[in-house]
Amino acid sequence: GNSVTQMEGPVTLSEEAFLTINCTYTATGYPSLFWYVQYPGEGLQLLLKATKADDKGSNKGFEATYRKETTSFHLEKGSVQVSDSAVYFCALKPGTALIFGKGTTLSVSS
Amino acid sequence: DAGVIQSPRHEVTEMGQEVTLRCKPISGHDYLFWYRQTMMRGLELLIYFNNNVPIDDSGMPEDRFSAKMPNASFSTLKIQPSEPRDSAVYFCASRPSGAVDTGELFFGEGSRLTVL
């Protein structure tokens, strides 16, 4: 079946640290991959996406590369800010609906 | 443009009571999704509609849950009777179809349900 596995949180970092949040997936076919972010008290917002192998999605300093050989879509940012504190969800779209990972909480302190 | 609108934002009720959550999707969006978010299980798809027709309700936990979409601008998720284990944040999301579909889901702010 289709599923997404994210690294367990919480992830706690100091401002300007490097961020990696691991995401691997299991899917039939070639799904599109997404990262969504949820700020406290809000709904999920699209952060970035990639639709085919080797595509790199990027937004607001975050990047993720669709790796078909390792079935991964790890989220990275070179220098995090306090305002990046949120819950991050990896998701895949094998058909119509999105299937989400459980989410990884990121807490950035100054 | 208005986003996805959900109501109520917060609901506290007692076990056994009926709960109705409401959603207004973005105008022009053909797809509507209901998700449930809990700490233990993360974000789970409950049901989704296309052009007001339920397409996949395999995620609906049991018969106590029902969802309707009487028209393109309104959907409800009903729990009757409610139980404490239904406590969660329920999200509604919508998406267009066709050429403008980028795959992105547009989420509402969620309805936080607490069943005592």
Side-chain angles (χ1 to χ4, degrees):
Chain A
N2 300 303
S3 65
V4 176
T5 302
Q6 287 182 239
M7 63 186 286
E8 294 280 335
V11 174
T12 304
L13 296 173
S14 298
E15 207 164 23
E16 299 184 3
F18 184 86
L19 168 71
T20 300
I21 300 178
N22 289 339
C23 171
T24 57
Y25 67 90
T26 302
T28 53
Y30 304 98
S32 296
L33 300 174
F34 302 78
W35 278 99
Y36 277 76
V37 60
Q38 182 182 29
Y39 298 103
E42 298 183 10
L44 281 71
Q45 306 171 24
L46 178 65
L47 181 59
L48 54 84
K49 71 172 187 178
T51 57
K52 60 183 187 297
D54 300 325
D55 266 3
K56 177 186 285 189
S58 61
N59 186 25
K60 299 180 181 179
F62 291 89
E63 293 183 339
T65 301
Y66 191 140
R67 300 286 188 201
K68 181 168 166 289
E69 63 276 12
T70 54
T71 61
S72 65
F73 193 54
H74 304 321
L75 182 69
E76 297 181 335
K77 186 174 185 181
S79 176
V80 294
Q81 305 300 311
V82 172
S83 57
D84 293 327
S85 298
V87 182
Y88 292 81
F89 292 88
C90 184
L92 66 89
K93 182 176 177 287
T96 299
L98 291 187
I99 297 171
F100 289 88
K102 287 191 175 181
T104 302
T105 299
L106 171 65
S107 178
V108 181
S109 58
S110 57
Chain B
D1 287 342
V4 176
I5 299 172
Q6 292 187 244
S7 64
R9 290 294 311 278
H10 302 275
E11 175 90 7
V12 179
T13 190
E14 294 190 346
M15 183 172 63
Q17 296 298 305
E18 178 179 294
V19 173
T20 299
L21 308 178
R22 298 172 177 80
C23 174
K24 176 179 169 55
I26 293 172
S27 177
H29 283 193
D30 303 300
Y31 287 96
L32 184 140
F33 304 81
W34 282 100
Y35 284 88
R36 177 172 68 175
Q37 183 181 34
T38 62
M39 290 291 291
M40 290 297 295
R41 301 172 70 91
L43 208 62
E44 304 171 277
L45 175 67
L46 299 178
I47 185 171
Y48 76 88
F49 296 82
N50 179 220
N51 291 322
N52 314 336
V53 176
I55 302 300
D56 184 356
D57 66 354
S58 59
M60 296 286 261
E62 48 197 275
D63 291 346
R64 297 185 297 106
F65 286 69
S66 62
K68 294 182 179 179
M69 193 165 185
N71 59 62
S73 59
F74 184 65
S75 177
T76 60
L77 178 66
K78 186 175 293 187
I79 309 172
Q80 166 65 16
S82 58
E83 297 183 2
R85 59 192 169 121
D86 301 330
S87 297
V89 181
Y90 291 81
F91 286 102
C92 177
S94 69
R95 198 186 88 216
S97 63
V100 296
D101 179 18
T102 63
E104 178 181 1
L105 286 187
F106 296 81
F107 281 81
E109 293 185 319
S111 294
R112 180 176 295 277
L113 172 65
T114 302
V115 183
L116 303 175

